[in-house]
Amino acid sequence: MNRTMLNGDLRLSDVNKEVTLVGWVSKRRNLGSLVFIDLRDYSGIVQLVFDETMEEKVRDVRNEFVLEVKGIVHERKDKNNKIKTGEIEVKCFEVKIINKAKTTPLLIQDDTDALEDTRLKYRYLDLRRDVLQQNIRLRHKVCMVVRNYLSEQGFVEIETPILCKSTPEGARDYLVPSRIFKGNFYALPQSPQIYKQLCMVGGFDRYFQIARCFRDEDLRADRQPEFTQIDIEMSFVEENDVWSMVESLMFKVFKEIKNVDLDSFVRIPYVECMRRFGSDKPDLRFGMELNEISDIFSNTEFTVFKNILEKNGKINCIVVKNSADKFSRKDLDKLQEFVKIYNAKALSYLKMENEILTGSIAKVISDNEKEQLINKLQLENNDLVLIVADEGYISNISLGALRNKLGHELNLIDKNKYAFLWVTDFPMFEYSKEEDRYVAAHHPFTSVKPEDVDRLFSDPANVYSRAYDLVLNGYELLSGSIRIHDQQMQAKVFEAIGLSMEEAKAKFGFFLEAFSYGTPPHGGVGIGLERLIMILCDTDNIRDVVAFPKTASASDLMSEAPNKVDEKQLNELGIKLKD
Ligand code: ASP
């Protein structure tokens, strides 16, 4: 086509130029004998004017028709400073209707009121909206920055298989039946974990891939069944090497995309993180850390606290500064309900009012205990103390969640800040009640802390690993680890999670075998690309950063996948459906 420039690029300096423009009709208005049309392409919109001689040619033109026009750029009398092209308009002397459009089921504008289901069913129309255009383009830019930067740093982009053998990453696999080997299945990769490690065995030294991962999980708002990881693996490295590489990559991305110079990244071991924030992904844009106050109540007469401490429980609190007057009885009852979601039995509170402590437990704790609280917590007038006495873990996580909730609700968060945190030294195992055994907390290829190896079997709950997460503003942005590179050690860890040698061989024989031919020490990360883009685009909805997303029940409303398939296809696969 003869397009001479993009619509959104037209400026006052183009006045008197003859231009040929193409695009979609975003709005039309008639003003007496004049017709005004806003013509849109991805760069923006421009106002076209058709006089009485042209009116007939555009009489049938409706929204979303595709036009090609020729015209002369003029300065506008009534300027519109809300749009980039608001100082000019194009007086058209030729128009070609390239294509017509039915009335669209959703308005193509940023503040569309269409239901999300409608937007997903007609995603190609939704994608015409500027917000989505910007998000998807930003995603592309981030990928370019990542590709270029990692390539400069000596990383090789390597594609790994999509049809592969099931590898345990903790989630359910998507399975693909094999036609040739009836009754056998491929799994779609939950991540390229095994392959990237084999790239290290294969001598590539530094690998990356912008890799699609598939996990058949019940979806939460911020999850998709298929998602993308910036997957990285490096040979001959320790934690610090991986962390500095990721930090420099993040510095680059935030500089190029947001023109922001990031602050240096904080590092906190998991155990300390849980103690201080009650979360392994705390938002460090505000304080309000947890305080353990068990010691103050070691001789308490207050039976509830006494019983909890006798059962090895913990008493923790958070202090909401200068806010006691903001919380009515009713508000505090609501917070009580909130901590119950996290299995806490109760939330107690104290308010500092006129130098004395009042509140739900003020009458049942001693003056001395109050005095100690005031000193330890450095309480000032109008401070509110929120206390959960319970099993240690419950006390921590319920207050951690409350801290997060109040941080948002009380506007304690500096929205312009990017607070990065490395959470390090995760537990190696977690106990799965469902399976009645220990499972790998990260994945079973993660190195055990050398000082904990002896306790692999005797005390698995207290074995820590060389796994780490990077947290940004309260979101887990990536996880990764230094891997096991020793065959015997790998076999031991399989055993510790209850995989017998035979099972391990059947599942990972090829992997264990590879380790017997000289495997370099290695480690890496998988960065959640969508999460990163969501933060950069300032949205909480993962579907805003995926071109063709699925719903929370993992269906594609546009193409109507998943769908039934022909009997013939099933026969070829040797599959008979249950009634
Ligand atoms: N494969 C891991 C994950 O998806 C990331 C890693 O360990 O590199 O969480």
Side-chain angles (χ1 to χ4, degrees), residues 105-199:
L106 57 113
L107 288 177
I108 316 291
Q109 60 191 36
D110 277 357
D111 49 355
T112 181
D113 58 358
L115 294 177
E116 192 166 30
D117 279 6
T118 311
R119 291 177 42 207
L120 290 174
K121 184 163 160 56
Y122 300 95
R123 187 60 167 179
Y124 43 85
L125 294 178
D126 203 21
L127 286 172
R128 287 186 193 169
R129 296 191 308 125
D130 193 48
V131 238
L132 286 188
Q133 282 280 323
Q134 297 310 327
N135 291 357
I136 303 297
R137 284 168 192 277
L138 183 140
R139 180 176 172 140
H140 159 74
K141 255 170 104 180
V142 170
C143 289
M144 291 306 286
V145 173
V146 167
R147 281 209 160 91
N148 291 335
Y149 185 70
L150 291 177
S151 309
E152 277 163 26
Q153 300 299 316
F155 286 81
V156 185
E157 183 168 14
I158 302 174
E159 288 178 80
T160 54
I162 293 293
L163 295 177
C164 47
K165 187 165 177 162
S166 160
T167 69
E169 205 97 22
R172 197 179 293 112
D173 282 329
Y174 275 102
L175 296 175
V176 181
S178 158
R179 176 180 57 82
I180 297 171
F181 301 97
K182 294 201 171 47
N184 288 296
F185 294 82
Y186 301 97
L188 303 183
Q190 292 185 28
S191 87
Q193 187 62 34
I194 285 204
Y195 288 102
K196 70 170 166 176
Q197 291 193 240
L198 291 174
C199 285

Side-chain angles (χ1 to χ4, degrees), residues 169 190-193 196 213 215 229 231-233 442-443 479-481 483 524-526:
E169 205 97 22
Q190 292 185 28
S191 87
Q193 187 62 34
K196 70 170 166 176
C213 306
R215 298 183 189 178
Q229 265 183 8
D231 201 39
I232 295 177
E233 199 71 11
H442 184 42
H443 51 57
S479 50
S481 61
R483 327 294 183 189
V525 294

